[in-house]
Amino acid sequence: MSMSTQEQSEPGPGQQTGVYVYGIVPGDVKLNSGVYGVGDPPGEVGLVRSGDLAALVSEIDVIKPLGTPDDLHAHEEILDAVLSEAPVLPFRFGAAMSSEDAVVADLLEPNHDEFAAALRQLEGRAEYIVRGRYVEEAILDEILSGNSRAARLRDRIRGADPDATRELRIQLGEIVNNTVVDKREKDTRSLLAEMKDHCAASVPRTATNEMDAAYVAFLIEDDKAGEFERVIQDLSDRWQGRVELTARGPMAPYDFVGTMQDA
């Protein structure tokens, strides 16, 4: 359901243009004119329709590689904007096909039932990303107060020659890193438990920073957005001074394409 750059339809001999695919929407969606997407120069975004489905597309120059920050931003911005009007099934960045005919024949028609079912499941729902980042000084104090070996290593290192205590610093670093991993797992479970009755689905994301306390995508029903914000604010208040909690959304449900699970 998610196309990658390796799944592109190859252009024909001598072909200079292709069709970039952002995602799938219901066939009755209407787009504003003058919206431009990825590529250099950016192509105008339009629709390729097939029955009750349509693909969000724009023309691209297949000779010029994609992948600039502007391209990534345009891909996400277009999908998120459509979400305010209709359900959208987003594709991963980089999906392209040889022509509009190929979009219909090779994408929309053979995957109709799967795409239609996914759009029904996603209707009235949007993705929100919740991320917690440990306050470094607070979490280090928490680790040291709960681990006597780490506290002793810290005391031996403090004020000592860095070269002479290199091995001790490595040992302390390993303890801190391992403990943060354990705390991250516990705090992620706490976040998921808080959200269990307030979301349609959830997908924990892989931490991308050593101080990440939690990183989870939630699928939220539109009429529960305010409820979601209250739950996150309450948790943020309880974690104040220990974890900085942020929420981002609504956005297209990138994490829930073919991977939905119960919250």
Side-chain angles (χ1 to χ4, degrees):
M1 199 180 296
S2 289
M3 295 180 64
S4 69
T5 51
Q6 287 75 31
E7 295 165 330
Q8 293 177 14
S9 173
E10 294 296 328
Q15 184 175 335
Q16 299 295 311
T17 61
V19 177
Y20 185 91
V21 184
Y22 300 87
I24 307 299
V25 295
D28 58 358
V29 164
K30 293 179 174 59
L31 295 182
N32 294 327
S33 60
V35 177
Y36 292 85
V38 302
D40 181 20
E44 185 171 6
V45 178
L47 292 167
V48 175
R49 303 181 194 271
S50 176
D52 60 349
L53 296 178
L56 283 164
V57 303
S58 64
E59 187 175 274
I60 56 169
D61 183 339
V62 298
I63 304 301
K64 298 179 180 178
L66 298 173
T68 68
D70 285 345
D71 288 333
L72 291 166
H73 178 71
H75 177 92
E76 295 177 353
E77 188 176 55
I78 287 163
L79 289 166
D80 293 348
V82 172
L83 181 68
S84 65
E85 303 295 332
V88 59
L89 190 62
F91 282 3
R92 295 194 300 268
F93 177 81
M97 303 192 76
S98 59
S99 66
E100 292 190 359
D101 287 344
V103 171
V104 173
D106 299 334
L107 181 63
L108 293 176
E109 289 182 348
N111 296 291
H112 173 274
D113 292 350
E114 183 181 5
F115 288 164
L119 287 172
R120 288 193 298 271
Q121 192 173 32
L122 294 170
E123 187 170 6
R125 297 171 170 180
E127 177 169 331
Y128 291 75
I129 301 294
V130 178
R131 189 167 201 163
R133 187 70 57 83
Y134 289 120
V135 177
E136 188 167 355
E137 183 176 346
I139 202 66
L140 288 176
D141 286 345
E142 187 177 306
I143 291 170
L144 293 171
S145 65
N147 189 308
S148 58
R149 180 166 176 256
R152 289 195 300 272
L153 286 169
R154 188 272 311 272
D155 292 341
R156 292 174 64 185
I157 290 168
R158 182 181 290 163
D161 185 312
D163 291 334
T165 56
R166 180 176 180 275
E167 184 60 34
L168 298 180
R169 292 175 187 277
I170 291 174
Q171 293 177 31
L172 179 58
E174 290 176 346
I175 292 173
V176 169
N177 290 339
N178 291 337
T179 306
V180 166
V181 169
D182 291 341
K183 289 182 178 296
R184 180 184 301 131
E185 292 177 354
K186 180 179 178 181
D187 290 328
T188 297
R189 289 196 299 271
S190 295
L191 172 59
L192 290 168
E194 291 287 334
M195 285 297 303
K196 182 174 178 58
D197 297 327
H198 308 284
C199 67
S202 61
V203 175
R205 285 182 159 193
T206 302
T208 58
N209 184 284
E210 60 184 7
M211 285 291 108
D212 276 347
Y215 193 21
V216 183
F218 293 101
L219 191 65
I220 305 296
E221 295 177 4
D222 293 344
D223 60 0
K224 291 187 176 181
E227 182 180 317
F228 161 77
E229 292 172 0
R230 288 193 296 275
V231 171
I232 296 303
Q233 185 59 58
D234 288 346
L235 184 58
S236 180
D237 291 343
R238 295 203 301 273
W239 278 354
Q240 188 173 11
R242 179 178 180 266
V243 175
E244 295 177 350
L245 203 60
T246 59
R248 183 166 56 95
M251 63 184 70
Y254 306 99
D255 288 270
F256 298 95
V257 177
T259 59
M260 285 190 65
Q261 61 187 49
D262 291 336

